[in-house]
């Protein structure tokens, strides 16, 4: 339910605001839209998956042509309008980790 998702998003933001690292494995577009950093595996599920298609700040996902997620997320964010519109999603600064992110196979 959307109200459960909104509660979860608030809790996760609260944890991050307190300095915690939060890793969420999820495909719900509302949760993905709140991510600072995304790892997309694919290109399909099961035996057709397992390859890292993208990893990095969420806004970069929209540049990955092979991403099965990007078109749906872009449409959702553009329908929402405002600051969440793709591809300049949330002005995300990227990962909060001090480690530099690794490039995905599609970026190498």
């Amino acid at each position: 339910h959307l109200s459960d998702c909104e509660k979860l998003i608030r809790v996760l933001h609260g944890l991050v605001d307190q300095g915690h690292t939060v890793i969420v494995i999820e495909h719900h577009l509302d949760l993905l839209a709140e991510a600072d950093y995304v790892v997309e595996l694919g290109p399909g599920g099961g035996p057709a998956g397992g390859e890292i298609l993208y990893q990095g700040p969420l806004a970069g996902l929209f540049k990955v042509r092979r991403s099965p997620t990007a078109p749906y997320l872009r449409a959702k964010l553009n329908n929402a309008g405002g600051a969440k519109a793709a591809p300049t999603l949330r002005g995300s600064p990227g990962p909060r980790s001090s480690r530099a992110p690794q490039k995905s196979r599609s970026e190498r």
Side-chain angles (χ1 to χ4, degrees):
H1 295 106
L2 183 57
S3 64
D4 292 336
C5 187
E6 290 169 347
K7 287 179 191 176
L8 178 59
I9 289 169
R10 283 194 303 273
V11 168
L12 295 175
H13 277 298
L15 290 169
V16 171
D17 291 345
Q18 293 173 21
H20 298 282
T21 298
V22 178
I23 298 173
V24 177
I25 300 171
E26 184 56 70
H27 62 269
H28 194 285
L29 294 176
D30 289 321
L31 282 169
L32 288 175
E34 297 294 326
D36 291 323
Y37 193 85
V38 175
V39 177
E40 181 170 29
L41 300 174
E51 181 181 334
I52 296 175
L53 299 178
Y54 174 75
Q55 63 181 15
L58 183 58
L61 180 65
F62 300 110
K63 299 174 187 173
V64 180
R65 293 181 186 185
R66 293 179 47 198
S67 170
T69 305
Y72 296 101
L73 187 57
R74 179 182 290 114
K76 178 165 185 59
L77 295 176
N78 285 339
N79 287 338
K84 287 193 173 187
T88 56
L89 180 67
R90 293 180 58 210
S92 176
R96 294 185 175 154
S97 166
S98 60
R99 290 183 359 172
Q102 296 178 0
K103 290 186 177 182
S104 70
R105 289 182 190 178
S106 63
E107 296 176 307
R108 291 181 194 156

